[in-house]
Amino acid sequence: MDKPLSGLRVVDFSMVYAGPLCAAMLGALGAEVIKVESAARLDQTRTRRGKPGDIDIDADRTYHIYNHNKRSISLNLQAPGAVDLAKRLIQQSDIVIEAFRPGAMKRLGLDYESLRAIHPKLLMLSISGNGQTGPDAEGGAYAAIFAAQGGLGYLTGYPGGMPTEWRASVDLRVGTAAFVAVLAGVDRLLATGEGGHIDVAGREVVGVALGDTFVAAQSSAEPQGPAANEDRVMAPCGCFVTDDPEAWISLAVSTDEEWARLCSVAGWIDFAADPRFGDGFLRWRHRDALNEIVRKWMRQQDAATILERLRAGGVVCAPTLRVDQLVDSPHLAARNLWQPYSLPTSVDPGDGEEIDAQMVGAPWSFDGARNFYEVGRAPAFALDNELVFIDVLGLSRADYDDLVCRMIID
Amino acid sequence: MDTLSGVRVLEVGPSLSAHFVGRQLAALGADVLKVEPPEGDPSRRRGPFVWDAPHRDGSALFLYLNLGKRGITLDRRTPTGREILGRLAADADIVLWGDDTTKGHEAAAAVEHGRVAIWMLVSPYGAVGPDAGFPAHSLNIYHAGGEAYLLPGGITWERYPDREPIKAPGYVGEFSAGDSMAAAILVARRLADPERGPLLIDASVQDALVALLRTELIDYAVAGEVASRASRSMPLPGLVEAWDGWIEFMPRHVLPRLYEWIGHPPEASPGEPGAESIPELAARISAWVADRTRSELYREGVAHGLPIGIYLSPEEILADPHMEVREFFTEIEHPYAGTLRYPTLPFLFTSGESGETSTRGEGLSPAPLLGQHNLEVLEDYLGYTRAESSALFECGIV
């Protein structure tokens, strides 16, 4: 199958999670992605583990997850002449991705207005916590912060309880939203030849995921607060522990038929006929009692077999899956969600040991296949300097060596 | 960004993820037609409702999720209903099938060779695999996606260590998955060729949610770490209680600036800096924050160059000056619900040609009333006479 984005070149200045993830996915779809770092400023995912100063910067597994399918170059943007080189590279590219603090690209002379002047068809993606504009533009870079400012923290938790701090998965949501925006931009670019600037704000990605809550907050007097696993009307509804304290089952009943099935599996002849639970409204009225009944019952169920019994009985339920269960899931394996990738096991220099692991591939299939999205290697730092600066940009060997000497290419 | 202008999308079935995709495509300019059962999509019965008045056109969820779409009703269980659906599908560019995947396959195969280039099946676990076809409520698919086991985490978990793992609020799971699926549509556009028949996409909510856990998955694969609510505490708390609520404070990379604000660590002995432990610093931060208001802390924290944010409620976000400047909320008038402010897209777009930044959600129509576009679609588009469209209504087929 042809790769969908073959022929596109991306220059990726971004670091950590959101921007790099977006760029890596473009790369897996066939785009040529050039990741720009500097020896003075490496992606933080390279250096988070191990003894500072004594690390193999190409061996951190987190770096690999978010930087597959890329070329790596080194360019010290603070050095004189480096920005001109960057501009030359950008002029030969279709897409630029950056996630610096708003204002930083402008200080370098690499803001959209400057780039558009030399490359009108450029599609530029900027990712930030709060957006490129507005009074909070320069803050909010961390996921926990913009998740809080976006409402997710406040609304997550137990009823009447304290908020919850969100972490990296919010960054991946931002990366995914940015990916959608870039793909839309590419769609437009290929159809019209026109570029543009996409300004993705993490706080707004969170806001869109919570959008119905904002509509409700304007028009309903109901207080908006955390609801844990509760549903507005379904009862029983919740997450219940089995006889294994690490094994939880989520379960919800929305119809009389679903209630009858649960009673059948659980052997609740009395409850099935209990007038307290005769229809959805009655079950909602007595939801506390119902949830307690399920809680008590589930605690005694054998974790190894209860899911199968419930599902066989047609009860709508799902286990609260852990990462080990996801990795070992026969269902996900059958769906070809994973692609093989050998990952370094340690960041100790010279260790060199790798383990066969599985990375997430495309989360969707096209006509049953997922090979339009192919996870490739994450590059060693500066691996592609010569390829990019000499072959792509056309620098002479002498000029290249000179730039290396002067630590502009570092 | 109106890149999908002229693209016709047909949206079928109750999957909220499919609805989210339809909404994103509409926000990008597509012409989205939503097919509901005659009694209305089940999401119309989800509260809260505008004015707290239960009404099939007043569900906040439905109003939000169906911006920009036209809507018709159809009983797809009847031969006539299926025939109408088949004609609409053949004439669409993209079909979003958020219902039983087996029926979706059949419907895709049965479509008369037409314009349709992409047919996406949306389901909780996908169309293929041992768990395919299992039913799932919002709660279930979120727990099956792996993230629930990690929530609440941090000091919230420390406060309630024996309580159950929880889902994200509202429909965050389905909507996040919807984002991934919208990407699938845009990728498929690069490959699809209507001459070859529709490109069939199998989109699973679970796959999309699992993909958000890349870091945790690899930490298990390489280092055997099983992430849980208990494994996500930070030594220096980010979530801290202020006088009037909570803030998120992350000073660990900028301790000198922190000390300038809250004071340097106490000296151990005259002339020697104290070796303040992390828990001691955390306690000092908590005490500093506890007596101050969130807005005061935010103002001062920002002034000292510290990463800080406020745990805002939806009401506060609606009133937030930054969101106002960003024009994050778009005012849209709905014939029943009146004028409300809606989030539309999570980004701004400036055109390279004109240099103009487009206003988000401009021209986006409100969610359709139940059956609002029945006559338009049946008569103007499909060519039924008035007598026929009346009969369809009176027979309960629309």
Side-chain angles (χ1 to χ4, degrees), chain A residues 236-269:
Chain A
C237 179
C239 180
F240 306 97
V241 72
T242 63
D243 69 347
D244 175 355
E246 299 306 316
W248 298 78
I249 305 265
S250 68
L251 182 159
V253 166
S254 73
T255 64
D256 297 341
E257 195 181 338
E258 287 174 21
W259 171 239
R261 292 194 201 133
L262 175 59
C263 289
S264 174
V265 171
W268 293 335
I269 303 166

Coordinates of all heavy atoms in Angstrom, one line a residue, chain A residues 236-269:
Chain A
P236 N -27.6 -0.5 38.6 CA -26.3 -0.1 39.2 C -25.3 0.4 38.1 O -25.5 0.1 36.9 CB -25.8 -1.5 39.7 CG -26.5 -2.5 38.9 CD -27.9 -1.9 38.6
C237 N -24.3 1.1 38.6 CA -23.3 1.7 37.6 C -22.1 2.0 38.4 O -22.1 2.7 39.4 CB -23.8 2.9 37.0 SG -22.7 3.7 35.9
G238 N -21.0 1.4 38.0 CA -19.7 1.7 38.8 C -18.6 0.7 38.4 O -18.7 0.0 37.5
C239 N -17.6 0.8 39.2 CA -16.4 0.0 39.1 C -16.3 -0.8 40.4 O -16.2 -0.2 41.4 CB -15.2 0.8 38.8 SG -13.7 -0.1 38.6
F240 N -16.2 -2.1 40.3 CA -16.3 -2.9 41.5 C -15.1 -3.9 41.5 O -14.8 -4.5 40.5 CB -17.6 -3.7 41.4 CG -18.9 -2.8 41.3 CD1 -19.4 -2.6 40.0 CD2 -19.4 -2.2 42.4 CE1 -20.5 -1.8 39.9 CE2 -20.5 -1.3 42.2 CZ -21.1 -1.2 41.0
V241 N -14.6 -4.0 42.7 CA -13.4 -4.9 42.8 C -13.9 -6.4 43.0 O -14.9 -6.7 43.6 CB -12.5 -4.4 44.0 CG1 -13.2 -4.7 45.4 CG2 -11.1 -5.0 43.9
T242 N -13.1 -7.3 42.4 CA -13.4 -8.7 42.6 C -12.6 -9.3 43.8 O -12.2 -8.5 44.6 CB -12.9 -9.4 41.3 OG1 -11.5 -9.3 41.2 CG2 -13.5 -8.9 40.1
D243 N -12.4 -10.6 43.8 CA -11.7 -11.1 44.9 C -10.2 -10.8 44.8 O -9.4 -11.1 45.8 CB -12.0 -12.6 45.1 CG -11.4 -13.5 43.9 OD1 -10.9 -12.9 42.9 OD2 -11.3 -14.7 44.1
D244 N -9.8 -10.3 43.7 CA -8.4 -9.9 43.5 C -8.3 -8.4 43.6 O -9.0 -7.7 42.8 CB -7.9 -10.4 42.1 CG -6.5 -9.9 41.8 OD1 -5.9 -9.1 42.6 OD2 -6.0 -10.3 40.7
P245 N -7.6 -7.8 44.6 CA -7.7 -6.4 44.8 C -7.2 -5.6 43.6 O -7.4 -4.4 43.5 CB -6.8 -6.1 46.0 CG -6.1 -7.4 46.3 CD -6.8 -8.5 45.6
E246 N -6.4 -6.2 42.7 CA -6.0 -5.5 41.5 C -6.9 -5.6 40.3 O -6.7 -5.1 39.2 CB -4.6 -6.0 41.1 CG -3.5 -5.8 42.1 CD -3.4 -4.4 42.6 OE1 -3.4 -3.5 41.8 OE2 -3.3 -4.2 43.8
A247 N -8.0 -6.4 40.5 CA -8.8 -6.7 39.3 C -10.2 -6.1 39.6 O -11.0 -6.5 40.5 CB -9.0 -8.2 39.1
W248 N -10.5 -5.1 38.8 CA -11.8 -4.4 38.9 C -12.6 -4.6 37.6 O -12.1 -4.8 36.5 CB -11.5 -2.9 39.0 CG -10.7 -2.5 40.2 CD1 -9.4 -2.6 40.4 CD2 -11.2 -1.9 41.4 NE1 -9.0 -2.1 41.6 CE2 -10.1 -1.7 42.3 CE3 -12.5 -1.5 41.8 CZ2 -10.3 -1.1 43.5 CZ3 -12.7 -0.9 43.1 CH2 -11.5 -0.7 43.9
I249 N -13.9 -4.6 37.8 CA -14.8 -4.7 36.7 C -15.8 -3.5 36.7 O -16.4 -3.2 37.7 CB -15.7 -6.0 36.8 CG1 -14.9 -7.2 36.9 CG2 -16.7 -6.1 35.6 CD1 -14.6 -8.0 35.7
S250 N -15.9 -2.9 35.5 CA -16.9 -1.8 35.4 C -18.1 -2.4 34.8 O -18.1 -3.2 33.9 CB -16.3 -0.7 34.4 OG -16.3 -1.2 33.1
L251 N -19.3 -1.9 35.3 CA -20.5 -2.5 35.0 C -21.6 -1.5 35.1 O -21.6 -0.6 36.0 CB -20.8 -3.6 36.0 CG -22.0 -4.5 36.0 CD1 -21.6 -5.8 36.8 CD2 -23.2 -3.9 36.6
A252 N -22.5 -1.5 34.1 CA -23.7 -0.6 34.1 C -24.9 -1.2 33.5 O -24.8 -2.0 32.6 CB -23.3 0.7 33.4
V253 N -26.0 -0.9 34.1 CA -27.3 -1.4 33.6 C -28.2 -0.3 33.1 O -28.5 0.6 33.9 CB -28.0 -2.2 34.8 CG1 -29.5 -2.4 34.4 CG2 -27.3 -3.5 35.1
S254 N -28.6 -0.3 31.9 CA -29.4 0.8 31.4 C -30.8 0.4 31.0 O -31.7 1.2 30.8 CB -28.7 1.4 30.2 OG -28.8 0.6 29.0
T255 N -31.1 -0.9 30.9 CA -32.4 -1.3 30.5 C -32.9 -2.5 31.5 O -32.1 -3.1 32.2 CB -32.5 -1.9 29.1 OG1 -31.7 -3.1 29.0 CG2 -32.0 -0.9 28.1
D256 N -34.2 -2.7 31.4 CA -34.8 -3.8 32.2 C -34.1 -5.1 31.8 O -33.9 -6.0 32.6 CB -36.3 -3.9 32.0 CG -37.0 -2.6 32.5 OD1 -36.3 -1.9 33.3 OD2 -38.1 -2.3 32.1
E257 N -33.9 -5.3 30.5 CA -33.3 -6.5 30.0 C -31.9 -6.7 30.6 O -31.5 -7.8 31.0 CB -33.3 -6.5 28.5 CG -33.0 -7.9 27.9 CD -33.0 -7.9 26.4 OE1 -33.5 -6.9 25.8 OE2 -32.4 -8.8 25.8
E258 N -31.1 -5.6 30.6 CA -29.8 -5.7 31.1 C -29.8 -6.1 32.6 O -29.0 -6.8 33.1 CB -29.0 -4.4 30.9 CG -28.6 -4.2 29.4 CD -28.0 -2.8 29.2 OE1 -27.5 -2.2 30.2 OE2 -28.0 -2.4 28.0
W259 N -30.8 -5.6 33.3 CA -31.0 -5.9 34.7 C -31.3 -7.4 34.9 O -30.7 -8.0 35.7 CB -32.1 -5.0 35.3 CG -32.5 -5.4 36.7 CD1 -33.7 -5.7 37.1 CD2 -31.6 -5.4 37.9 NE1 -33.7 -6.0 38.5 CE2 -32.5 -5.8 39.0 CE3 -30.3 -5.2 38.1 CZ2 -32.0 -5.9 40.3 CZ3 -29.8 -5.3 39.4 CH2 -30.6 -5.7 40.5
A260 N -32.2 -7.8 34.1 CA -32.6 -9.3 34.2 C -31.4 -10.2 33.9 O -31.2 -11.2 34.6 CB -33.7 -9.6 33.2
R261 N -30.5 -9.8 33.0 CA -29.4 -10.6 32.7 C -28.4 -10.6 33.8 O -27.8 -11.6 34.2 CB -28.7 -10.1 31.4 CG -29.5 -10.3 30.2 CD -28.6 -10.1 28.9 NE -29.4 -9.8 27.8 CZ -29.2 -8.8 26.9 NH1 -28.1 -8.0 27.1 NH2 -30.0 -8.6 25.9
L262 N -28.2 -9.5 34.4 CA -27.3 -9.4 35.6 C -27.8 -10.3 36.7 O -27.1 -11.1 37.3 CB -27.1 -8.0 36.1 CG -26.2 -7.8 37.3 CD1 -24.8 -8.3 37.1 CD2 -26.2 -6.3 37.8
C263 N -29.1 -10.2 37.0 CA -29.7 -11.0 38.0 C -29.5 -12.5 37.7 O -29.3 -13.3 38.6 CB -31.2 -10.7 38.2 SG -31.5 -9.1 38.9
S264 N -29.7 -12.8 36.4 CA -29.5 -14.2 36.0 C -28.1 -14.7 36.3 O -27.9 -15.8 36.9 CB -29.9 -14.3 34.5 OG -29.6 -15.6 34.1
V265 N -27.1 -13.9 35.9 CA -25.7 -14.4 36.1 C -25.4 -14.5 37.6 O -24.7 -15.4 38.0 CB -24.8 -13.4 35.4 CG1 -23.3 -13.7 35.8 CG2 -24.9 -13.4 33.9
A266 N -25.9 -13.5 38.3 CA -25.6 -13.5 39.7 C -26.5 -14.4 40.6 O -26.2 -14.6 41.8 CB -25.7 -12.1 40.3
G267 N -27.5 -15.0 40.0 CA -28.4 -15.8 40.7 C -29.3 -15.1 41.6 O -29.7 -15.6 42.7
W268 N -29.7 -13.8 41.4 CA -30.5 -13.0 42.2 C -32.0 -13.2 41.9 O -32.6 -12.3 41.3 CB -30.1 -11.5 42.1 CG -28.7 -11.2 42.6 CD1 -28.0 -11.9 43.5 CD2 -27.9 -10.1 42.1 NE1 -26.8 -11.2 43.7 CE2 -26.7 -10.1 42.9 CE3 -28.1 -9.1 41.2 CZ2 -25.7 -9.2 42.7 CZ3 -27.1 -8.1 41.1 CH2 -25.9 -8.2 41.8
I269 N -32.5 -14.3 42.3 CA -33.9 -14.5 41.9 C -34.8 -13.5 42.7 O -35.7 -13.0 42.1 CB -34.3 -15.9 42.3 CG1 -33.4 -16.9 41.6 CG2 -35.8 -16.2 42.0 CD1 -33.5 -18.3 42.2

